Amino acid sequence: MTNEIKNIGKSVSRRQVLKTSAGLGALGFALSMGITPALAADDLVALVHTQAAGDNGPVDSMIAELKKLAAEKGFTARTIYAKDPATYETIFRTLGEAGATVVVSTFNEVAEPFKAVAPTFPNTKWIQLFGDAFEPPIANVISVSYDYYLGCYLSGIFAAHVSSTGKLGFIGGISIPSINADYNAFKAGAMSVNKDIKVSVAFAGSFQDPAKGLEVASQMYADGIDYIQTDSGATDGGIISAANEKMGRMVSSLDPAQFELGPKSIIAIVGLDFGSSLANEAAAALEADWVGGKHRSTGLGTGVIDFILSPLFKEQGDADINAKSAKAWAEIEKVRAAILDGSLNVPFSTEL
Amino acid sequence: MEEMIIAILRSATPLIYVTLAGVIAQRAGIWHLGLEGLMIVGACGTILGIVLTGSVLYALLLACLFCILGSIIFWFVVEKLKANQIIAGLGLTGLGLGGTTLAVEAIFGTPAAVNAKFGLPKIGEVFGNIFGAFSGLSILVLLMPFVVFGMWVLICRTRLGLQITASGEHPFAARSVGVNPSRMRFIALMIGGVLCALGGAELAAGSLQIFAQNMTAGRGFMSFAAVVFGASHPIGAMLAASFFAIVGALGIRAQLLFGEDVPHDLLLGLPYIATIFGIWFSAKMRGGAKAVTGFGELRDQ
């Protein structure tokens, strides 16, 4: 008898669980149906970043600027980390269905999902940062490209001037066309000063692995390389740590926020202000006169990309290197002007 | 050469600590696929601890506490809720990776990388310059051989270690002589939690002073592979983890030497190719084969 009661108790309990689950599911569905128009009533700007935050660089700066802009303009901001390319389209479609006003995403890998989803949601404005032009253009999509390689070219010229060993290094996150182009430009810049200069390249295999960055940079410095250009997101942190271990090791990174991580080692940055670029594009997209179907190319001279010396290194860095740096700067200015007026054409090569 | 050895020690040490955690879990009958998650919790706990308390000691204690907490959850799910170990381990990894990101965002309001002002004490700071070029390594590197030896003594030469091993290999036999396998697994996972905390601490605060999302980058899984490759023996597993570190360092060296002739992606894949080779090789070894085939009899229900 006791067993029967127990059995009944078990079956009732299971049924109750199932009923409760079904009820909760139905309630959730009903609530979500109610929430969708609510979201649509307010401006929602979503940033879908395909590299993880925590890079002390572009992704962190985009998130910070989006939050700042949201506070200023009073819209709802959402940031979503899309790690798996297989999920891009689903994420974009969900945002479109949620009535997002603006969806911003990054890099060429989102081009195909944009093509697939954007036309279905004409009331949503889609912005692709660091992407090529869409062919044919899509009416509600804008893509923005950055000539980051031009900054790397300037870094190469600078490196060739300040290096004592004549050995330079370049560390990328992953070997992808845009990073390869940055390396080639860096090398071309260095070789334009000294044809015999040796430039080595290595990839950490990840944009999120500072420990690997430390290993790669340590080996490069041990080989006599004294100037490393980074292009590797959060992996940069390890490269900077390796540079901090001995005086005379120089590194050029990506973001002004990194200056204080190596006041005696970070000599310069090839700055790419993703955050400002995102804020400009998102703010424009929230205006009524926004027109899509365009591609914007930005680079040197627009304030988004530049080669910038570290003010902290000027104060705390090696005096001899600073003297060399001051001499080299005149040439950097000259080459920058030549690139801007079109008299110097830096090749864009994505092959290693 | 000296620089190369330093580079290998740097990359091998975190792997070895976490591998030892996998070894003791494996001995107790747990296939610990949550190593990756616990390792990143250890890394995050250490850096957050340094930033928030300003003390390395408190930071290490915090990291150990979080990792032990994770281990308790893992033990409860596997032992009490009878969940599949593999799935539960992967779940723990997901919890660690996601939970650390959430913690950083909750504390600092942004998921940005967290930089600490200092890391673990260096050998040189504690013992002066007697270790020469190795003085720049953290004290956890110096401590590592002793921990490996201690683990060997614990597992192979103590009553507790033998009870843990018996609980993993022959739980019915262990139970028949009054040993509680569930309790042994609990103890093994707790010890493993502390080791994962040390591994994560060395990764984030040994030579670096940074915590970044997903910064373990698969090292926990490589440690698990080292456990199998090393036939669940502390010394064997340490050698296996060192082998992976050596291959990783050679992969970087190969990029610098042959990068213009051989695709970088292939050279970057060397550690993973070595891992596959290691697992295959371990199946040929007595212990490795035993560890693999013994899985079916690990459960005692």
Side-chain angles (χ1 to χ4, degrees):
Chain A
M1 184 63 184
T2 314
N3 282 342
E4 279 175 20
I5 289 167
K6 273 187 185 169
N7 286 339
I8 290 166
K10 271 187 184 173
S11 77
V12 169
S13 167
R14 190 177 299 152
R15 196 170 295 160
Q16 276 177 338
V17 168
L18 288 171
K19 276 182 181 174
T20 311
S21 305
L24 284 173
L27 185 67
F29 180 72
L31 281 174
S32 71
M33 294 301 285
I35 284 167
T36 304
L39 276 176
D42 192 11
D43 276 335
L44 168 66
V45 178
L47 165 65
V48 181
H49 50 100
T50 53
Q51 282 177 21
D55 58 356
N56 266 335
V59 178
D60 291 351
S61 111
M62 282 192 292
I63 293 171
E65 287 294 328
L66 181 63
K67 283 182 178 172
K68 201 170 135 193
L69 189 68
E72 280 171 18
K73 301 257 179 190
F75 60 78
T76 305
R78 289 280 180 273
T79 57
I80 299 149
Y81 173 35
K83 190 178 180 182
D84 179 4
T87 63
Y88 294 168
E89 193 172 325
T90 311
I91 291 170
F92 294 142
R93 201 169 287 283
T94 307
L95 286 167
E97 283 167 359
T101 315
V102 181
V103 175
V104 186
S105 195
T106 50
F107 303 118
N108 271 326
E109 60 218 50
V110 301
E112 289 307 316
F114 262 32
K115 280 181 195 168
V117 176
T120 319
F121 300 99
N123 294 328
T124 299
K125 295 158 185 170
W126 304 81
I127 299 166
Q128 184 197 14
L129 300 179
F130 222 122
D132 296 330
F134 282 87
E135 286 299 337
I138 305 170
N140 57 336
V141 177
I142 271 190
S143 55
V144 185
S145 63
Y146 306 95
D147 295 333
Y148 190 75
Y149 73 105
L150 295 177
C152 290
Y153 183 80
L154 294 179
S155 177
I157 293 172
F158 180 75
H161 280 289
V162 297
S163 170
S164 319
T165 60
K167 290 181 179 177
L168 312 177
F170 181 97
I171 301 177
I174 297 171
S175 174
I176 51 176
S178 58
I179 303 259
N180 295 348
D182 295 341
Y183 162 66
N184 286 326
F186 176 74
K187 189 175 178 181
M191 293 186 80
S192 71
V193 176
N194 176 4
K195 281 194 175 158
D196 297 325
I197 205 155
K198 192 172 180 323
V199 186
S200 302
V201 60
F203 296 91
S206 165
F207 289 99
Q208 292 295 127
D209 193 347
K212 183 65 92 179
L214 176 83
E215 289 175 40
V216 178
S218 296
Q219 288 206 32
M220 279 189 169
Y221 286 127
D223 280 354
I225 286 168
D226 61 354
Y227 184 108
I228 293 176
Q229 174 63 50
T230 72
D231 203 346
S232 57
T235 302
D236 283 4
I239 301 165
I240 295 165
S241 294
N244 287 342
E245 286 181 354
K246 276 186 189 165
M247 276 298 281
R249 292 178 172 182
M250 292 173 276
V251 61
S252 165
S253 53
L254 181 82
D255 195 278
Q258 293 170 323
F259 283 147
E260 62 184 32
L261 299 179
K264 292 178 184 173
S265 61
I266 300 179
I267 188 166
I269 56 164
V270 179
L272 169 50
D273 196 346
F274 258 117
S276 297
S277 181
L278 177 140
N280 293 342
E281 295 301 332
L286 289 168
E287 300 297 327
D289 58 353
W290 184 85
V291 181
K294 290 180 176 174
H295 176 75
R296 222 185 312 282
S297 181
T298 61
L300 287 175
T302 62
V304 175
I305 289 171
D306 209 350
F307 182 67
I308 303 160
L309 290 180
S310 163
L312 293 181
F313 191 90
K314 276 185 190 168
E315 288 169 12
Q316 301 175 36
D318 184 276
D320 289 343
I321 296 173
N322 271 322
K324 284 184 192 172
S325 159
K327 273 188 189 172
W329 197 250
E331 187 174 342
I332 297 292
E333 296 279 17
K334 208 170 96 185
V335 174
R336 183 194 278 121
I339 292 171
L340 290 176
D341 69 22
S343 58
L344 176 65
N345 182 31
V346 179
F348 181 80
S349 164
T350 57
E351 296 292 320
L352 279 181
Chain B
M1 190 60 189
E2 210 171 49
E3 291 277 355
M4 193 70 175
I5 294 170
I6 289 171
I8 291 165
L9 280 172
R10 265 182 180 156
S11 54
T13 303
L15 277 184
I16 290 171
Y17 278 111
V18 179
T19 299
L20 291 177
V23 165
I24 194 162
Q26 186 94 334
R27 287 274 176 165
I30 302 278
W31 282 57
H32 203 331
L33 277 166
L35 294 175
E36 176 87 359
L38 290 182
M39 190 182 193
I40 199 152
V41 167
C44 182
T46 306
I47 294 297
L48 290 188
I50 292 173
V51 171
L52 299 175
T53 69
S55 157
V56 171
L57 187 65
Y58 286 147
L60 284 174
L61 287 174
L62 194 71
C64 290
L65 184 73
F66 287 143
C67 287
I68 287 174
L69 202 65
S71 297
I72 290 173
I73 294 170
F74 185 48
W75 173 82
F76 182 76
V77 170
V78 167
E79 281 298 317
K80 297 298 171 193
L81 302 182
K82 303 294 179 195
N84 180 293
Q85 300 179 359
I86 308 290
I87 307 294
L90 291 173
L92 182 61
T93 290
L95 182 69
L97 294 172
T100 49
T101 304
L102 185 67
V104 168
E105 187 150 13
I107 294 169
F108 300 103
T110 163
V114 183
N115 292 283
K117 288 201 169 151
F118 53 90
L120 298 175
K122 302 284 184 280
I123 295 172
E125 292 168 13
V126 180
F127 298 100
N129 213 22
I130 56 171
F131 289 94
F134 297 89
S135 301
L137 296 171
S138 89
I139 50 162
L140 283 183
V141 178
L142 187 65
L143 200 64
M144 179 264 291
F146 300 102
V147 175
V148 173
F149 179 71
M151 182 60 74
W152 174 77
V153 171
L154 172 71
I155 288 177
C156 303
R157 291 289 183 271
T158 67
R159 180 180 292 272
L160 175 67
L162 294 173
Q163 286 177 343
I164 286 174
T165 303
S167 300
E169 287 187 4
H170 302 290
F172 297 110
R175 196 178 285 281
S176 71
V177 292
V179 175
N180 182 347
S182 178
R183 189 163 152 258
M184 289 300 123
R185 285 175 193 145
F186 182 82
I187 293 168
L189 288 176
M190 295 307 103
I191 295 170
V194 172
L195 289 165
C196 284
L198 295 179
E202 171 59 22
L203 182 76
S207 300
L208 302 168
Q209 289 155 215
I210 301 168
F211 173 76
Q213 283 183 45
N214 306 331
M215 70 178 293
T216 42
R219 286 177 178 81
F221 293 115
M222 288 191 80
S223 298
F224 180 77
V227 173
V228 179
F229 185 16
S232 308
H233 190 281
I235 311 292
M238 181 206 69
L239 293 174
S242 304
F243 171 71
F244 291 150
I246 290 167
V247 174
L250 290 177
I252 295 167
R253 171 75 22 209
Q255 278 199 71
L256 297 176
L257 293 176
F258 315 116
E260 297 200 349
D261 305 316
V262 183
H264 284 269
D265 291 333
L266 181 66
L267 298 171
L268 273 171
L270 276 180
Y272 305 102
I273 295 168
T275 305
I276 294 167
F277 172 77
I279 299 294
W280 169 80
F281 187 68
S282 73
K284 300 284 176 196
M285 294 164 67
R286 186 169 160 267
K290 188 173 149 193
V292 173
T293 55
F295 182 52
E297 55 177 294
L298 294 179
R299 309 298 305 181
D300 62 334
Q301 51 214 297

